[in-house]
Amino acid sequence: MTHAWKDARVTEIWAGRTKPMKELIGGAGGRGGRRGLAVVKAREEEQELPNLTFDFAGRTAIVTGAARGLGFEFARLFHESGAKVFLVDADADAVALAADEVGAVGVACDVTSTEAVEALVNRVVTAAGRLDIVVNNAGILRDRRLWKLSDQDWAEVLDVHLGGTFRLTRAAVPVFREQRYGRVINVTSYTGLRGNIGQANYGAAKAGIIGFTKTAAKELAAFGVTVNAISPNAETRMIGSVPEEKRQELAAAIPLGRFAAPSEMAAATAFLASEEAGYITGVVLPVDGGISI
C-alpha cells in the first residue's frame, strides 16, 4: 500500500491556505535555508511513500462475523495479502455475498454449536491443508438495562461472543499443535474494561474474552501459538445509527477526535497475525484513538 506525495505541498490547516513545502520549512531565501531542506527534502515530482504491507502467502485464515463490518475488512485484508480466507457468519446469504466480493470462501456457521464449529475447522483443513489464523469476531447485541435483561438476553450474548471464541479456538488447537504454529486474534471491547450502560451482558462477554485471551496465551505458547486481542473503536453500523449530535459528542471524547475506519482495525489484526508479531502474546491491543488512556 502506498500514498502519493505530490507537488510537495502541504496545507496550513489553521489558515485554510496551501503553501509549497519549501516555504514552510525554510527553503531558499527562507530562515531555514539548507538546514530546513535537510530535514524534509521536498521534490516537485510525485514521490511514492511505501506503507506497511503484509505477506500471508501460504497461510489459511478463518474470520468469524465476516459478513459485514470489521470482520469483512479483516477478511478482505488477509485475502489481499495472499492468505486463503474463509469468511464465516451465521447469516448464510450475507456471508455468501461478502465472500463473492472478497474473492474468498464463505461458510455459514453457528458459533454457539460445538458440532458446527468442529465441522468448520475440519472443512477448512480438508480444503486448504492447514489452518494458521483464527480471528474470533462473531458477536450480537441485546442491549437493555440490567433489570430488563432476560436470561435469554444474557445467555445469547455470552454464548456468541465468549462461547464462540472458546469453541473455535479449542477446535483449532489440535491443528495448531500438530503444526506447532498458530495465530489467534480475539475481538474484545472498551466496554469489557470500563463497562457501559445497557450492556451488562456485552461487557461481561468482552471482559471474559480478555481473561480467555491471556489464559490461552499461556497454555498455547509452548506449541508456537500466539493469542492476542484487539480492542477496537471504529465507525461501525452501530455507531452509524447513533444520532449525529450524539456521535459528535462521542467523537469529542476520543483524544484523536474521530472514530477509526474499519480498515484501520484490519491493519492491527493483520499485524498480530504476522510473522513480525511472533513474540507478542497475551496482549490486548487498544486500537481506539486513545479513549482507553
Side-chain angles (χ1 to χ4, degrees), residues 80-117:
E80 290 175 350
S81 302
K84 177 171 285 189
V85 184
F86 291 78
L87 287 76
V88 176
D89 202 281
D91 188 332
D93 293 337
V95 78
L97 291 172
D100 284 345
E101 183 174 344
V102 170
V105 180
V107 182
C109 179
D110 176 6
V111 297
T112 69
S113 165
T114 294
E115 183 178 298
V117 169

Side-chain angles (χ1 to χ4, degrees), residues 210-289:
I210 293 172
F212 175 82
T213 297
K214 293 181 178 295
T215 300
K218 290 182 177 182
E219 293 183 354
L220 300 179
F223 307 108
V225 179
T226 65
V227 186
N228 294 291
I230 67 164
S231 179
N233 186 31
E235 187 76 52
T236 61
R237 288 190 306 162
M238 185 173 70
I239 295 297
S241 68
V242 175
E244 180 61 27
E245 185 177 342
K246 181 62 176 178
R247 287 180 72 239
Q248 291 180 5
E249 179 184 330
L250 292 171
I254 303 168
L256 285 181
R258 65 178 179 87
F259 291 100
S263 60
E264 293 175 279
M265 304 300 107
T269 301
F271 169 67
L272 290 175
S274 70
E275 299 299 317
E276 289 79 1
Y279 203 61
I280 300 173
T281 195
V283 165
V284 178
L285 178 64
V287 194
D288 60 10

Side-chain angles (χ1 to χ4, degrees), residues 33-197:
R34 292 183 181 274
R35 184 167 179 267
L37 289 174
V39 176
V40 181
K41 185 178 179 181
R43 296 173 58 185
E44 292 302 318
E45 69 271 17
E46 183 173 310
Q47 179 179 344
E48 293 293 324
L49 299 180
N51 207 340
L52 182 64
T53 59
F54 301 97
D55 181 6
F56 291 109
R59 299 297 187 191
T60 301
I62 292 175
V63 181
T64 66
R68 55 184 66 85
L70 296 183
F72 176 81
E73 293 298 330
F74 299 158
R76 177 157 58 184
L77 181 54
F78 281 123
H79 176 75
E80 290 175 350
S81 302
K84 177 171 285 189
V85 184
F86 291 78
L87 287 76
V88 176
D89 202 281
D91 188 332
D93 293 337
V95 78
L97 291 172
D100 284 345
E101 183 174 344
V102 170
V105 180
V107 182
C109 179
D110 176 6
V111 297
T112 69
S113 165
T114 294
E115 183 178 298
V117 169
E118 290 178 349
L120 166 68
V121 170
N122 288 336
R123 173 179 174 178
V124 169
V125 174
T126 299
R130 60 184 298 118
L131 172 60
D132 304 283
I133 302 161
V134 166
V135 181
N136 288 303
N137 175 66
I140 61 172
L141 293 175
R142 299 287 186 269
D143 292 354
R144 291 175 180 81
R145 299 277 181 145
L146 177 60
W147 57 90
K148 293 183 178 180
L149 276 176
S150 68
D151 286 356
Q152 184 176 353
D153 294 332
W154 177 267
E156 287 181 352
V157 168
L158 266 76
D159 209 17
V160 174
H161 287 271
L162 183 55
T165 296
F166 159 67
R167 290 183 190 89
L168 182 52
T169 304
R170 179 181 61 181
V173 165
V175 182
F176 290 161
R177 289 183 63 178
E178 183 176 349
Q179 294 172 169
R180 300 198 67 80
Y181 181 92
R183 297 283 191 268
V184 179
I185 299 94
N186 301 322
V187 179
T188 182
S189 170
Y190 178 75
T191 301
L193 293 171
R194 302 294 180 90
N196 190 37
I197 292 173

